[in-house]
């Protein structure tokens, strides 16, 4: 994790020396990291939405050419080429985000391992608001904030996934309902044992995630409107072509 944690540690040191308060520096760092990761998150959500649409088309091709695998593969490649869809595009943003998040966790759990400046040792033990020592766990307030923020962010993510065409129901839906409460409670419990600085990062990041989800929802609504408009245009063109063929047939007769 040092490959990721060390440069982020230097960024945190620079922010701290700029603002002179470790708690505020952590909040600014959280904001910067979330802004940097936002385009990847937005791309992941858009890829998931496109994947749902492509899933319906690919299933239709699989049914049509169930007995001709060569033709099926040919049609699938043609579908991907025409739509510009990459099956791996939904995974790449997650693969990029994961090491950054893990590096941040490593840094904030053990800051002095990745920040060599002795000043940061004192900064790490500073007080902030009601917290007497940011290197020590906060018993309740921060963990509760982290749990509540995680609950709303997770619920919004879950709702966005279930709105996708072809979203799974049944057992997966029940599992999501359980995780909706289990995951925030787990975060609350874990945050009581983590340094308060790490809890600040997680709580702040989840509150920002809520606003990002609102923004992503608006983007998805626009995408859905464009898809519906495209379907209406295609339907109108097909109907127009059908009427034209019918007129041509009538005049021929």
């Amino acid at each position: 994790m040092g490959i990721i944690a060390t440069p982020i540690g230097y960024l945190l040191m620079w922010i701290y020396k700029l603002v002179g308060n470790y708690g505020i520096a952590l909040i600014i760092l959280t904001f910067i990291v979330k802004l940097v990761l936002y385009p990847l998150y937005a791309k992941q959500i858009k890829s998931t939405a496109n994947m749902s649409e492509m899933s319906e088309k690919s299933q239709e091709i699989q049914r049509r050419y169930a007995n001709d695998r060569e033709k099926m593969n040919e049609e699938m490649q043609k579908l991907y080429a025409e739509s510009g869809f990459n099956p791996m595009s939904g995974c790449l943003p997650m693969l990029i985000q994961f090491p950054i998040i893990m590096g941040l966790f490593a840094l904030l759990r053990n800051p002095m391992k990745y920040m060599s400046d002795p000043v940061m040792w004192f900064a790490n033990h500073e007080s902030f608001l009601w917290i007497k020592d940011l290197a020590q766990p906060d018993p309740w307030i921060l963990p509760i904030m982290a749990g509540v923020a995680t609950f709303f962010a997770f619920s919004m993510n879950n709702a966005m996934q279930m709105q996708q065409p072809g979203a799974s129901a049944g057992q997966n839906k029940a599992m999501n309902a359980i995780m909706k409460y289990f995951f925030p409670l787990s975060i609350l419990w874990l945050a009581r044992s983590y340094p308060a600085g790490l809890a600040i990062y997680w709580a702040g990041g989840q509150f920002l995630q809520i606003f990002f989800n609102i923004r992503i929802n608006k983007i998805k609504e626009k995408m859905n409107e464009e898809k519906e408009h495209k379907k209406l245009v295609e339907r109108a063109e097909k109907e127009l072509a059908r009427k034209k063929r019918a007129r041509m047939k009538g005049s021929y007769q």
Side-chain angles (χ1 to χ4, degrees):
M1 288 296 99
I3 296 173
I4 304 293
T6 300
I8 298 177
Y10 279 110
L11 175 61
L12 180 57
M13 282 193 288
W14 180 79
I15 296 171
Y16 173 73
K17 291 175 180 178
L18 192 66
V19 300
N21 184 289
Y22 191 61
I24 294 175
L26 286 170
I27 293 172
I28 294 173
L29 177 69
T30 302
F31 188 75
I32 291 172
V33 170
K34 294 299 287 186
L35 280 182
V36 169
L37 293 179
Y38 173 76
L40 294 173
Y41 175 69
K43 183 175 178 61
Q44 180 185 339
I45 295 296
K46 290 178 182 178
S47 296
T48 303
N50 292 333
M51 195 177 294
S52 299
E53 183 180 357
M54 292 297 295
S55 177
E56 295 178 359
K57 294 180 180 179
S58 64
Q59 286 174 7
E60 183 180 345
I61 291 174
Q62 288 169 3
R63 284 194 300 268
R64 188 180 302 173
Y65 303 103
N67 299 322
D68 189 347
R69 184 162 293 276
E70 185 177 345
K71 181 66 174 176
M72 181 195 301
N73 292 334
E74 183 182 329
E75 290 296 320
M76 291 291 285
Q77 291 298 326
K78 186 189 295 185
L79 175 65
Y80 290 154
E82 289 175 354
S83 60
F85 176 74
N86 183 353
M88 295 299 294
S89 60
C91 303
L92 185 60
M94 179 65 74
L95 292 175
I96 296 173
Q97 291 180 67
F98 186 72
I100 296 174
I101 294 169
M102 294 304 295
L104 264 167
F105 265 65
L107 169 67
L108 297 179
R109 287 191 70 179
N110 191 1
M112 297 316 300
K113 183 177 179 180
Y114 305 102
M115 295 189 293
S116 56
D117 194 330
V119 172
M120 297 309 296
W121 186 92
F122 296 99
N124 189 43
H125 289 275
E126 283 182 359
S127 62
F128 182 65
L129 299 177
W130 68 89
I131 306 162
K132 294 181 180 180
D133 186 345
L134 285 167
Q136 300 300 318
D138 178 44
W140 288 110
I141 299 177
L142 265 180
I144 289 173
M145 290 173 63
V148 169
T150 302
F151 173 78
F152 283 108
F154 186 88
S155 298
M156 293 174 75
N157 281 337
N158 192 33
M160 286 191 292
Q161 290 175 5
M162 295 308 296
Q163 287 171 3
Q164 294 298 337
S168 58
Q171 187 175 357
N172 286 344
K173 189 174 182 180
M175 181 61 71
N176 286 334
I178 293 171
M179 288 300 297
K180 178 180 177 180
Y181 299 100
F182 178 76
F183 185 52
L185 287 172
S186 299
I187 291 296
L188 188 154
W189 182 257
L190 290 171
R192 296 188 70 240
S193 61
Y194 287 162
L198 178 53
I200 286 175
Y201 162 73
W202 184 265
Q206 293 304 299
F207 278 116
L208 282 172
Q209 188 67 50
I210 291 170
F211 290 103
F212 287 170
N213 286 344
I214 293 171
R215 171 62 182 162
I216 292 294
N217 261 328
K218 290 181 179 179
I219 293 174
K220 287 180 64 179
E221 286 175 5
K222 186 177 179 181
M223 288 175 64
N224 289 335
E225 288 174 2
E226 289 174 353
K227 287 177 184 177
E228 288 300 321
H229 177 71
K230 185 179 178 181
K231 287 180 181 178
L232 288 173
V233 170
E234 289 176 351
R235 198 176 297 134
E237 288 176 348
K238 287 180 180 179
E239 182 64 20
L240 188 64
R242 186 188 66 78
K243 290 180 178 178
K244 187 176 180 180
R245 286 194 301 270
R247 284 198 299 269
M248 290 176 66
K249 185 178 180 181
S251 61
Y252 175 76
Q253 290 174 348

